[in-house]
Amino acid sequence: MKLITAVIKPFKLDDVRNALSEIGVQGMTVTEVKGFGRQKGHTELYRGAEYVIDFLPKVKLELVLGDDVVDQAVEAITKAAQTGKIGDGKIFITNCEDVIRIRTGETGPDAV
């Protein structure tokens, strides 16, 4: 099993969710986060004053998937989240040793 963590632009969330649903991914955790990478924020004007926005709004998705679906999921996320502009995001893949479903006590892939 793998834990996929993807940080994407907020307006791409529905596209990514739909793309993952099409390949059979049933669940994910979504968190609104702020951060910056190469973008390093930007400036905005508000009532004539200039403000520096250091941290940009992003959405973090977390999914635990079986090894057989990981490549499809990464491809679906990449295609759905890509705008071709700086700040599209990142995908991190880490090993997941075990999963336990609290309600039933199931473990491993059965719990996913």
Side-chain angles (χ1 to χ4, degrees):
M1 291 179 299
K2 302 284 188 204
L3 169 65
I4 298 176
T5 305
V7 180
I8 63 171
K9 291 182 175 184
F11 67 90
K12 285 295 196 172
L13 177 59
D14 286 336
D15 294 341
V16 171
R17 191 189 83 214
N18 292 335
L20 289 169
S21 293
E22 287 178 13
I23 63 166
V25 173
Q26 295 180 347
M28 71 179 78
T29 301
V30 178
T31 311
E32 292 181 11
V33 296
K34 291 183 180 187
F36 71 92
R38 290 185 182 161
Q39 282 176 293
K40 296 187 175 91
H42 64 280
T43 58
E44 289 186 2
L45 284 175
Y46 179 70
R47 295 190 177 182
E50 193 172 275
Y51 293 91
V52 176
I53 309 296
D54 290 329
F55 295 99
L56 300 171
K58 301 286 182 180
V59 172
K60 181 168 81 169
L61 309 173
E62 295 173 301
L63 308 94
V64 176
L65 301 172
D67 292 333
D68 55 331
V69 189
V70 170
D71 291 336
Q72 285 179 291
V74 168
E75 185 177 338
I77 294 168
T78 302
K79 284 183 178 177
Q82 189 174 49
T83 66
K85 297 180 182 164
I86 194 166
D88 276 350
K90 296 237 181 345
I91 300 173
F92 305 94
I93 303 169
T94 54
N95 288 321
C96 183
E97 289 186 31
D98 205 1
V99 178
I100 300 150
R101 182 172 299 185
I102 295 172
R103 179 177 52 88
T104 62
E106 292 172 293
T107 61
D110 294 335
V112 177

